[in-house]
C-alpha cells in the first residue's frame, strides 16, 4: 500500500433547511394564524480517529465531503429534520490545517480524538415565529443558512514508538522486515525507501512496538539534498530514535555517517536529538573483526553533539546484522525497555497533573 501522508480535501457542512410560510387552514376559521415550522439544522462534517488506519490512502479517490441538508420546515408547525452528520475516519496523528491560511485547526493525536471540521448551517425560522400582536399574518420565513465550507489539509504524523534514521542503504528496511510483518522494499541502492513504512513488532506476549522506517538521510538533507528532511516529521512523535549505519564500510565511514545523520537532525526544527537514542552498527556479518569496538571508541573520542541526549542505560551501541539476526534481539529488548520506561514516567507526570 502506498503511503499517503498529506491530502487536501473539501468539506462542507449541510445547509440549514428553510423555514416555512404557512397558515392554518381549518373549516370555519377564515383566517388561521401562521403555522410554518422551522427548517432543520444541516449536518456537521466530523473527523474521527480510527486507530486501525495508518495512512491517508483512502482519500486518494474521494476528496469532497458534504454533510446532509436540513429539511425545510412544513405547515402545522412541523420543524424540518436535521441533516445527517458526515463522519470521516482518519488515522491517529492526523493534523488538520486550513488550506488557505495554513493555520492548524486540530491535532487528532489521541485514540478517541474527534473534531467538527465544518458546521452545518442553522435552519431558518418559520413564519410562525414572526407573528406579533401588530403583525398577525407574517408572509415571510427565513431561509436556512449555508453550511460552513472550507478546504483543509490533512497531514499525517505517524505515531510510532521507534524511528529508524540513518543514511540510505544502511539496512533500515531490512531490519523492519526482519522484526515485523511489514514488507518494505529492500534493495542495494540508495533511496529504496521513498515513503515511510510502519511495522508492528512483538517484543513479548501482548507487548508491541511500532517502528517507523523512513527514507535515508544524506548530508545536506536539511537543505533539500536527497529526499530532504520532510519525512522527519514522522519521527517527531516517536519516543526513541534508532540510528542505523553500515559497519561493513569500516568503522570510520560508519561513524562519519552517524555524525552526518545527527547534523541533519540538528537542522530540523523540532529538537529530535533530545530524544533517547540507540545506535545500531549494522551488517556486522560483513564487517571486519574489531570494527565494532573501533567504531564505539571513535564515537566516544569525537564526543556527541551538545544538544544530544546522553543515550540510554542499556546501550547505546549495538552490533547487529539485519540479515542474519545477530544482535537484533538484544537491540529490541533494550529499545522496548526504553519505551516502557518513558511511558511510565509520562504516566507519573499525568497523575501528578491530576492531583
Ligand atoms: N551483509 C548485510 N547486508 C545487509 C544487511 N542489512 C541490509 N543489508 C543489505 O543492504 C542493502 C540496503 O538495505 P535496505 O534495507 O534497503 O537499506 P535502507 O537503509 O532501507 O535504504 P534506503 O531505503 O535507501 O534508505 C540491501 O542490499 C540489503 O540486503 C546486513 O545485516 N548484512
Ligand atoms: Mg529503506
Amino acid at each position: 500500500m502506498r503511503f499517503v501522508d498529506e491530502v487536501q480535501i473539501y468539506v462542507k457542512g449541510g445547509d440549514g433547511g428553510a423555514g416555512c410560510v404557512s397558515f392554518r387552514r381549518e373549516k370555519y376559521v377564515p383566517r388561521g394564524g401562521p403555522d410554518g415550522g422551522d427548517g432543520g439544522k444541516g449536518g456537521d462534517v466530523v473527523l474521527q480517529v480510527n486507530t486501525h488506519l495508518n495512512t491517508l490512502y483512502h482519500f486518494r479517490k474521494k476528496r469532497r465531503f458534504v454533510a446532509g441538508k436540513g429539511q425545510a420546515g412544513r405547515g402545522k408547525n412541523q420543524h424540518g429534520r436535521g441533516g445527517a452528520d458526515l463522519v470521516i475516519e482518519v488515522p491517529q496523528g492526523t493534523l488538520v490545517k486550513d488550506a488557505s491560511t495554513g493555520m492548524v485547526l486540530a491535532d487528532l493525536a489521541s485514540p478517541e480524538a474527534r473534531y467538527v471540521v465544518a458546521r452545518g448551517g442553522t435552519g431558518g425560522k418559520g413564519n410562525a415565529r414572526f407573528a406579533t400582536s401588530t403583525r398577525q399574518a407574517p408572509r415571510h420565513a427565513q431561509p436556512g443558512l449555508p453550511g460552513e465550507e472550507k478546504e483543509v489539509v490533512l497531514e499525517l504524523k505517524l505515531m510510532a514508538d521507534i524511528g529508524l534514521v540513518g543514511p540510505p542503504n544502511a539496512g533500515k528496511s531490512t531490519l523492519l522486515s526482519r522484526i515485523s510483518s511489514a514488507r518494505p522494499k529492500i534493495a542495494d541502492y540508495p533511496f529504496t525507501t521513498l515513503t515511510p513504512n510502519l511495522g508492528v513488532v512483538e517484543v513479548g506476549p501482548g507487548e508491541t512496538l511500532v517502528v517507523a522506517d523512513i527514507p535515508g538521510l544524506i548530508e545536506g538533507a536539511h537543505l533539500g539534498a536527497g529526499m530532504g528532511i520532510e519525512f522527519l516529521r514522522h519521527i517527531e512523535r516517536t519516543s526513541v530514535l534508532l540510528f542505523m549505519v553500515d559497519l561493513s564500510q569500516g568503522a570510520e565511514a560508519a561513524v562519519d555517517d552517524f555524525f552526518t545523520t545527527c547534523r541533519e537532525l540538528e537542522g530540523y526544527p523540532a529538537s529530535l536529538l533530545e530524544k533517547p537514542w540507540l545506535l545500531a552498527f549494522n551488517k556486522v556479518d560483513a564487517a571486519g573483526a574489531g570494527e565494532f569496538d573501533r567504531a564505539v571508541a571513535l564515537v566516544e573520542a569525537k564526543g556527541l553533539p551538545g544538544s544530544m541526549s546522553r543515550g540510554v542505560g542499556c546501550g547505546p551501541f549495538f552490533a547487529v546484522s539485519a540479515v542474519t539476526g545477530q544482535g537484533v534481539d538484544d537491540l529490541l529488548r533494550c529499545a522496548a525497555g526504553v519505551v516502557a520506561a518513558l511511558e511510565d514516567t509520562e504516566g507519573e507526570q499525568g497523575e501528578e497533573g491530576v492531583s
Side-chain angles (χ1 to χ4, degrees):
M1 188 192 281
R2 210 174 84 76
F3 187 91
V4 175
D5 60 0
E6 195 174 299
V7 292
Q8 181 165 335
I9 60 171
Y10 167 84
V11 287
K12 181 176 185 308
D15 294 336
C20 170
V21 176
S22 164
F23 296 93
R24 250 192 329 268
R25 283 163 192 267
E26 282 171 48
K27 268 186 185 167
Y28 316 119
V29 183
R31 268 195 262 165
D35 70 350
D38 299 344
K41 179 186 167 298
D44 296 334
V45 180
V46 180
L47 298 175
Q48 166 86 56
V49 167
N50 174 340
T51 50
H52 297 297
L53 294 173
N54 275 330
T55 77
L56 297 168
Y57 187 74
H58 54 299
F59 288 102
R60 196 176 42 117
K61 291 221 170 107
K62 181 158 169 63
R63 301 207 168 170
R64 285 178 62 85
F65 298 89
V66 181
K69 287 184 178 161
Q71 277 181 355
R74 277 170 297 154
K76 298 186 184 165
N77 285 315
Q78 297 179 83
H79 298 319
R81 198 175 316 144
D85 288 348
L86 180 60
V87 178
I88 308 174
E89 295 191 323
V90 294
Q92 185 179 0
T94 299
L95 207 63
V96 187
K97 290 183 178 170
D98 187 302
S100 48
T101 63
M103 206 172 76
V104 174
L105 304 174
D107 182 0
L108 305 176
S110 78
E112 299 88 27
R114 188 180 159 87
Y115 173 67
V116 176
V117 64
R119 297 201 172 275
T122 36
K125 288 175 179 154
N127 69 338
R129 304 262 197 176
F130 295 100
T132 60
S133 52
T134 52
R135 194 132 187 244
Q136 293 180 357
R139 300 207 57 85
H140 68 278
Q142 280 177 336
L145 293 181
E148 202 182 342
E149 71 184 309
K150 56 181 100 140
E151 293 273 341
V152 294
V153 173
L154 304 180
E155 193 182 296
L156 178 58
K157 294 189 183 195
L158 297 182
M159 307 294 282
D161 300 306
I162 296 180
L164 265 170
V165 286
N169 234 14
K172 302 179 294 298
S173 301
T174 308
L175 180 74
L176 188 76
S177 72
R178 175 163 195 101
I179 60 181
S180 75
S181 58
R183 288 292 165 261
K185 185 168 169 193
I186 294 167
D188 190 16
Y189 55 81
F191 303 119
T192 306
T193 301
L194 301 175
T195 56
N197 302 299
L198 272 194
V200 179
V201 183
E202 267 192 56
V203 284
E207 207 185 328
T208 56
L209 283 181
V210 181
V211 179
D213 164 33
I214 62 170
L217 290 170
I218 57 171
E219 183 152 16
H222 71 280
L223 303 172
M227 296 284 295
I229 54 167
E230 259 282 280
F231 288 111
L232 290 181
R233 69 163 178 255
H234 297 297
I235 58 166
E236 268 180 41
R237 294 183 183 184
T238 61
S239 326
V240 178
L241 293 182
L242 174 52
F243 289 92
M244 178 168 271
V245 293
D246 175 359
L247 189 63
S248 72
Q249 353 158 52
E252 283 79 9
V255 168
D256 277 351
D257 279 350
F258 168 63
F259 283 105
T260 301
T261 308
C262 289
R263 273 198 301 279
E264 295 309 322
L265 296 191
E266 260 180 330
Y268 188 76
S271 36
L272 298 174
L273 286 183
E274 288 166 18
K275 293 178 191 290
W277 56 276
L278 304 171
L279 169 55
F281 289 100
N282 189 32
K283 311 194 189 181
V284 272
D285 59 289
E291 289 299 309
F292 174 65
D293 292 337
R294 284 209 312 124
V296 171
L298 279 171
V299 174
E300 280 168 351
K302 276 201 180 182
L304 298 167
S307 56
M308 199 161 183
S309 98
R310 303 308 307 170
V312 293
C314 57
F317 306 111
F318 293 83
V320 302
S321 168
V323 165
T324 68
Q326 183 188 336
V328 170
D329 283 348
D330 277 352
L331 172 66
L332 281 184
R333 209 168 306 128
C334 174
V338 180
V339 170
L342 279 175
E343 281 171 0
D344 284 352
T345 39
E346 275 164 21
E348 276 162 26
Q349 281 165 359
E351 280 155 33
E352 278 165 26
V354 173
S355 61

